[in-house]
Amino acid sequence: MSNPFVRIVEPLDPKQPLKKFFNLSKLEDVRYARLPFSIRVLLEAAIRNCDEFLVKKGDVENILNWKVVQHKNVEVPFKPARVILQDFTGVPAVVDFAAMRDAVKKLGGDPEKINPICPADLVIDHSIQVDFNRRSDSLQKNQDLEFERNKERFEFLKWGSQAFKNMRIIPPGSGIIHQVNLEYLARVVMDQDGYYYPDSVVGTDSHTTMIDGLGVLGWGVGGIEAEAVMLGQPISMVLPEVVGYKLLGNPQPLVTSTDIVLTITKHLRQVGVVGKFVEFFGPGVAQLSIADRATIANMCPEYGATAAYFPVDDISIGYLIQTGRDKEKVMCTKKYLEAVGMLRDFKNSSQDPDFTQVVELDLHTVVPCCSGPKRPQDKVAVSDMKEDFETCLGAKQGFKGFQIAPDRHNSIVRFNFEGCDFELAHGSVVIAAITSCTNTSNPSVMLGAGLLAKKAVEVGLTVKPYIKTSLSPGSGVVTYYLRESGVMSYLSQLGFDVVGYGCMTCIGNSGPLPESVVEAITQGDLVAVGVLSGNRNFEGRVHPNTRANYLASPPLVIAYAIAGTIRIDFEKEPLGINASGKKIFLKDIWPTRNEIQAVERQFVIPGMFKEVYEKIETVNKSWNALDAPSDKLYTWNPKSTYIKSPPFFDGLTLALQTPKTIEDAYVLLNFGDSVTTDHISPAGNIARNSPAARYLTSRGLTPREFNSYGSRRGNDAVMARGTFANIRLVNKFIDKQGPQTIHFPSGETLDVFDAAERYKQAGHPLIVLAGKEYGAGSSRDWAAKGPFLLGVKAVLAESYERIHRSNLVGMGVIPLQYLPGEDAGTIGLTGRERYTIIIPEKLKPQMNIQIKLDTGKTFQAIMRFDTDVELTYFHNGGILNYMIRKMAS
């Protein structure tokens, strides 16, 4: 069937009649002009892909009717232009593809049908750790160790890039996925197969939303869902509500983009935007650079929205030129956007579309701030940091409390480091990391940090040598302009040498602390602090020994490193005293906005971007030297502890199995609110006393060779044992933090994996109970795959974060939600009951189902399969099973 919208196809330029586009402004429909710009991207994709197989004409009509149907759970398909992956999520995706090829072959199909149709870029940025710092050769030594640890994974990825078409690998050492996407990969407008159309992307990392700051609609999806998209399956989504976020005024001179995004994060968490798009508008947007907008869009998962969209304007077009994109293509991009009415003028209110809801922020009201000590949305003004931390010390254990006895608030532990004596106390900074694409993509805050370092060194300030300082830029461009502007040497003098190009401390790859520091923290049971310019600070994420972690702008990271403590009031107390005895305050060395902008104009130039990115795929000699097999089917090595054929498709047949009622399930874990994917499937260190460690030891590995959970996501035997292995896990069955639970048949307290194994051997199904925001955080598919392998059949929660619910659906785990106004407390659940979940023969999206307890009590819950497509996946036992059957038949 041909596309019914050919009447609105026309050439972009009469001189190039083969270059066409869907001129949506010629729909001659008043509804189009009132649509949010983000919804216009969905509409264009629907029209472009409109045929009887992929997108129906009725879907297009539903999108045009967005204002009317946005509250009615209307399902629409969306086929993004491309997919991006990082290696922690990319390795399991390639493992799944390799296993799917095997499964299709066993079912009599053509294994090469398992091949990406949608173009995919995989950036290797999650493997490097801060093993070395404060030395000139830190970068090289960390990269060498990265290859030593991950050679097998990298060879596997290189095999994937050769075995699968449409998959490009950006080698390690190139930068962070979202910054590389912003500076290099993103097109804004695609020019493909004779058509111009808006660029759009989904990624296997939750911070894929960063690209929304450039006007490319994108968001994070689970790895399982991304694999289906790569194989040509559209995303099935409920047409979202769109919250208009109106920005007014100008930021104050001392305020950074980090302060703005932390303010917005707290605000939008209070508004409630889970499952919604946020679209920014208003004259204040014109005051923000693309780097500022990208910083705000990056933290979209932290305020819970699906996307955080800044429509394209002239500043966006200027950024494409500044970053070295082809000028002729950029001009075609602008011409196309003008033709379809998608080039925004934020000062022109007549362009403001309709929104579901409008909220406002006056940028002038934003003050310098941090967020912490345990969640990104817990913003604290810098002026209140000292008082807030001291309040948290004594407060009840929780997001804002450590429950330290009052008589221990001023405890001090003395220790020796490299022959000198030092002291640690509650609030002492032991990690200070300028890290993460959230901030290192922004020249203003990076140059601000460099200028602050320069002034600090010039007045004689230093950073204590035991503090683990590091600088991990999101791309080589950052190092280039820091070096050319003359500030790199000053950063190095304060200990902020470049340690690698990757996510590093932000994802928990912070490496070890000095042993004497760890001993002092442990001896005093101290609440030690990490300060980082990242986007997440959940418990147990940054480092096992930093119980408090604060998100801050790069200049503030340096300031707190110099101070050595979070318990300082910068307005009243000096950062330090120099050799002359003079007190130096933060205001004495803080660079002005004019200073920063002058340096940025001079040194952040197109030539830098061109020079770095024209050789990005070939510059890594270690990668080039890797030898990968060329077979289309992967030859699994049974001795490997990194890459293993997963059991997801064992016994799969072409025939569907009817879903059955879950009978007499035990509760494996009973959680409260805000259980994150870091709690469910940690990415960092493998504890030496954990089930995963015992498994690796049995395979002949030493603790030094364990690497991290994130690096072992290609091996289900490690990852199943690492599920719910976070040392900060809070399970209501246990009276202390830790990855343990009660095995109810025996009454024993066991590691979670060991308890699950006992239940499985006895044939008992399992469920998990949880509170609000279950699955917040990273879009890691192992947070769904792991529970599936443990035998978890369903999760019953008060609410879910969007990506994790999608991942559960993708693995065939039932996401159940309490009815409005109900929770475990109101129903009277203890978690010690046994649960029978009645699965009706005929299922509908978001239907209520019955749950019976062995106590005789019965209640209802919502089955959170939100669309008919999700129910199809459930009937198939998950999305990958569905794709295998589709390809095999």
Side-chain angles (χ1 to χ4, degrees):
M1 181 178 173
S2 62
N3 193 308
F5 292 94
V6 290
R7 64 185 175 86
I8 59 170
V9 175
E10 62 179 50
L12 183 65
D13 188 332
K15 298 175 184 177
Q16 291 183 302
L18 295 179
K19 295 289 187 179
K20 301 174 183 177
F21 69 107
F22 288 87
N23 193 343
L24 304 192
S25 62
K26 288 200 172 180
L27 279 169
E28 298 172 358
D29 194 317
V30 293
R31 293 174 293 180
Y32 177 72
R34 304 306 306 159
L35 287 177
F37 282 66
S38 51
I39 299 298
R40 296 182 199 187
V41 178
L42 296 184
L43 176 67
E44 194 285 336
I47 290 177
R48 178 167 40 86
N49 293 297
C50 193
D51 62 50
E52 61 183 332
F53 301 108
L54 203 58
V55 180
K56 297 177 176 64
K57 194 170 181 180
D59 297 319
V60 175
E61 188 68 17
N62 278 333
I63 298 174
L64 270 172
N65 274 329
W66 169 82
K67 189 173 182 181
V68 177
V69 304
Q70 59 176 304
H71 304 292
K72 298 182 179 179
N73 288 326
V74 172
E75 178 184 354
V76 294
F78 173 58
K79 189 178 182 186
R82 54 194 180 88
V83 175
I84 58 172
L85 310 94
Q86 36 87 344
D87 56 301
F88 269 19
T89 52
V91 167
V94 179
V95 166
D96 286 347
F97 280 164
M100 289 170 77
R101 279 192 170 179
D102 292 344
V104 169
K105 185 180 180 183
K106 287 178 185 175
L107 292 174
D110 177 5
E112 291 195 43
K113 282 188 177 180
I114 299 296
N115 193 87
I117 296 171
C118 183
D121 292 301
L122 193 159
V123 181
I124 300 175
D125 63 2
H126 272 50
S127 299
I128 192 166
Q129 300 186 35
V130 191
D131 290 287
F132 297 91
N133 69 310
R134 285 185 177 252
R135 45 191 292 172
S136 59
D137 61 351
S138 294
L139 172 62
Q140 188 60 53
K141 293 187 79 67
N142 285 328
Q143 287 181 336
D144 289 345
L145 195 50
E146 176 190 21
F147 261 84
E148 180 185 326
R149 286 177 176 144
N150 297 283
K151 183 181 179 184
E152 187 180 343
R153 294 173 64 244
F154 293 168
E155 286 174 341
F156 177 69
L157 287 176
K158 197 164 188 179
W159 166 81
S161 69
Q162 296 168 359
F164 298 104
K165 301 171 185 173
N166 273 339
M167 182 184 288
R168 173 171 53 173
I169 306 287
I170 305 297
S174 303
I176 301 174
I177 178 173
H178 308 303
Q179 190 159 339
V180 173
N181 192 21
L182 183 74
E183 296 175 351
Y184 174 61
L185 298 175
R187 281 80 146 176
V188 177
V189 169
M190 304 293 287
D191 175 4
Q192 198 164 336
D193 300 328
Y195 282 93
Y196 289 101
Y197 53 93
D199 188 6
S200 56
V201 64
V202 294
T204 59
D205 189 284
S206 53
H207 294 105
T208 299
T209 51
M210 182 170 176
I211 204 61
D212 289 344
L214 185 56
V216 176
L217 184 63
W219 62 85
V221 296
I224 308 156
E225 191 171 13
E227 291 166 34
V229 171
M230 290 165 69
L231 295 174
Q233 183 77 357
I235 289 173
S236 173
M237 62 187 295
V238 173
L239 196 60
E241 298 178 19
V242 182
V243 175
Y245 200 94
K246 190 172 187 178
L247 295 175
L248 304 163
N250 293 305
Q252 295 184 50
L254 299 183
V255 164
T256 68
S257 58
T258 314
D259 304 318
I260 295 171
V261 71
L262 296 180
T263 301
I264 289 173
T265 298
K266 181 176 183 178
H267 185 196
L268 284 176
R269 270 290 172 188
Q270 293 168 340
V271 170
V273 292
V274 173
K276 303 175 184 179
F277 283 6
V278 174
E279 186 170 309
F280 293 86
F281 74 111
V285 178
Q287 306 302 316
L288 302 176
S289 67
I290 294 303
D292 292 337
R293 299 176 196 181
T295 299
I296 294 167
N298 177 285
M299 286 191 69
C300 173
E302 281 63 57
Y303 41 88
T306 299
Y309 191 64
F310 288 83
V312 182
D313 67 349
D314 282 335
I315 293 176
S316 316
I317 299 298
Y319 178 83
L320 292 175
I321 293 171
Q322 182 193 26
T323 50
R325 267 79 164 200
D326 183 272
K327 285 188 179 180
E328 186 176 340
K329 289 182 179 179
V330 172
M331 289 304 104
C332 285
T333 292
K334 183 175 183 180
K335 191 172 182 179
Y336 164 78
L337 293 168
E338 287 174 333
V340 296
M342 291 176 68
L343 189 70
R344 190 74 163 90
D345 179 357
F346 289 104
K347 294 178 181 178
N348 181 359
S349 60
S350 68
Q351 287 188 7
D352 293 352
D354 293 328
F355 293 110
T356 307
Q357 174 189 3
V358 171
V359 290
E360 294 184 357
L361 175 68
D362 183 347
L363 293 171
H364 193 70
T365 64
V366 177
V367 298
C369 56
C370 300
S371 277
K374 302 180 186 182
R375 295 192 303 180
Q377 62 262 45
D378 293 330
K379 176 180 77 82
V380 185
V382 169
S383 57
D384 298 331
M385 280 286 286
K386 180 179 181 179
E387 181 182 353
D388 186 82
F389 178 81
E390 291 176 348
T391 301
C392 288
L393 270 183
K396 183 181 177 182
Q397 182 72 35
F399 298 126
K400 294 287 287 184
F402 297 102
Q403 210 163 333
I404 303 296
D407 61 345
R408 292 184 48 241
H409 284 198
N410 295 312
S411 297
I412 290 174
V413 179
R414 293 175 176 83
F415 69 103
N416 187 275
F417 179 75
E418 294 183 345
C420 296
D421 293 327
F422 296 97
E423 294 179 347
L424 283 184
H426 294 297
S428 290
V429 174
V430 295
I431 291 177
I434 299 176
T435 181
S436 169
C437 53
T438 308
N439 285 289
T440 68
S441 61
N442 194 325
S444 64
V445 293
M446 294 303 291
L447 288 168
L451 291 170
L452 184 141
K454 180 175 184 290
K455 293 184 178 188
V457 169
E458 288 173 345
V459 296
L461 296 178
T462 60
V463 175
K464 292 182 177 67
Y466 63 81
I467 296 176
K468 188 160 192 178
T469 48
S470 61
L471 168 59
S472 49
S475 81
V477 174
V478 180
T479 309
Y480 204 142
Y481 65 65
L482 289 177
R483 186 176 61 242
E484 292 298 306
S485 61
V487 298
M488 192 72 240
S489 61
Y490 297 100
L491 287 163
S492 296
Q493 287 179 65
L494 292 181
F496 290 91
D497 297 279
V498 173
V499 295
Y501 296 97
C503 301
M504 303 190 90
T505 301
C506 186
I507 60 165
N509 285 359
S510 46
L513 288 173
E515 285 188 19
S516 58
V517 171
V518 173
E519 288 170 3
I521 293 170
T522 305
Q523 178 187 333
D525 190 26
L526 298 177
V527 180
V529 175
V531 185
L532 64 152
S533 63
N535 46 44
R536 291 201 175 125
N537 54 346
F538 302 132
E539 284 186 283
R541 178 182 175 95
V542 174
H543 193 282
N545 296 113
T546 56
R547 287 158 68 185
N549 296 282
Y550 288 90
L551 308 181
S553 66
L556 279 175
V557 171
I558 295 176
Y560 280 113
I562 293 169
T565 180
I566 213 80
R567 298 169 80 171
I568 181 173
D569 184 339
F570 286 129
E571 294 179 6
K572 300 175 182 176
E573 300 173 63
L575 269 179
I577 300 173
N578 66 11
S580 304
K582 182 183 178 182
K583 293 180 179 180
I584 308 296
F585 289 81
L586 181 58
K587 63 184 178 182
D588 299 328
I589 61 171
W590 194 272
T592 67
R593 179 166 293 181
N594 287 340
E595 285 179 273
I596 296 169
Q597 288 176 344
V599 176
E600 184 175 349
R601 279 193 298 269
Q602 183 177 355
F603 293 104
V604 184
I605 56 176
M608 289 183 175
F609 293 88
K610 285 183 178 178
E611 185 175 333
V612 168
Y613 283 113
E614 67 185 5
K615 56 188 178 183
I616 191 170
E617 293 179 49
T618 58
V619 71
N620 192 312
K621 294 178 181 177
S622 298
W623 175 264
N624 297 340
L626 286 177
D627 186 26
S630 57
D631 300 334
K632 296 298 182 184
L633 293 176
Y634 188 70
T635 303
W636 306 96
N637 178 1
K639 295 182 179 180
S640 174
T641 56
Y642 277 108
I643 307 298
K644 178 178 175 289
S645 182
F648 306 134
F649 315 122
D650 292 352
L652 183 67
T653 64
L654 285 174
L656 295 182
Q657 305 295 316
T658 303
K660 296 177 181 178
T661 289
I662 300 168
E663 296 186 2
D664 286 330
Y666 282 97
V667 176
L668 179 63
L669 294 148
N670 188 2
F671 293 129
D673 296 340
S674 297
V675 171
T676 72
T677 52
D678 279 286
H679 290 117
I680 303 167
S681 183
N685 294 333
I686 297 174
R688 295 187 181 192
N689 61 346
S690 65
R694 292 196 290 272
Y695 169 79
L696 291 171
T697 301
S698 74
R699 300 297 298 269
L701 274 67
T702 64
R704 182 181 176 275
E705 297 169 306
F706 286 172
N707 210 334
S708 64
Y709 282 115
S711 69
R712 294 196 178 270
R713 286 183 184 161
N715 187 311
D716 62 272
V718 176
M719 296 310 296
R721 287 165 173 80
T723 302
F724 299 115
N726 190 307
I727 59 171
R728 303 295 181 197
L729 196 73
V730 178
N731 175 13
K732 292 181 181 180
F733 295 149
I734 305 293
D735 58 5
K736 61 179 181 179
Q737 285 186 337
Q740 293 188 314
T741 194
I742 295 175
H743 176 252
F744 286 110
S746 67
E748 291 181 67
T749 297
L750 301 172
D751 288 332
V752 175
F753 174 79
D754 295 334
E757 280 294 287
R758 283 215 199 162
Y759 283 123
K760 187 186 294 186
Q761 289 165 8
H764 297 310
L766 298 170
I767 68 169
V768 169
L769 299 184
K772 300 180 182 69
E773 298 174 1
Y774 182 72
S778 301
S779 63
R780 57 191 61 163
D781 53 351
W782 270 107
K785 287 177 174 176
F788 170 84
L789 291 178
L790 294 187
V792 173
K793 303 299 182 185
V795 177
L796 176 58
E798 291 178 55
S799 65
Y800 294 88
E801 290 292 277
R802 175 186 60 85
I803 296 174
H804 184 62
R805 186 200 65 83
S806 173
N807 273 335
L808 291 174
V809 172
M811 285 307 299
V813 177
I814 304 173
L816 298 171
Q817 188 165 312
Y818 293 103
L819 298 182
E822 293 186 354
D823 56 35
T826 62
I827 298 172
L829 304 179
T830 66
R832 295 172 183 266
E833 312 87 351
R834 295 183 72 175
Y835 292 66
T836 295
I837 300 167
I838 310 297
I839 308 297
E841 190 175 329
K842 292 185 178 180
L843 298 175
K844 304 185 298 187
Q846 295 196 350
M847 71 183 296
N848 290 357
I849 60 155
Q850 280 203 327
I851 301 175
K852 295 181 179 180
L853 307 180
D854 63 344
T855 61
K857 181 176 290 187
T858 299
F859 64 98
Q860 289 191 325
I862 304 165
M863 185 181 273
R864 283 293 310 277
F865 296 122
D866 290 353
T867 67
D868 287 321
V869 171
E870 289 187 348
L871 282 173
T872 299
Y873 297 154
F874 176 59
H875 282 293
N876 277 270
I879 191 170
L880 299 184
N881 291 357
Y882 168 79
M883 293 304 298
I884 288 172
R885 289 189 175 107
K886 182 178 177 182
M887 296 297 181
S889 60

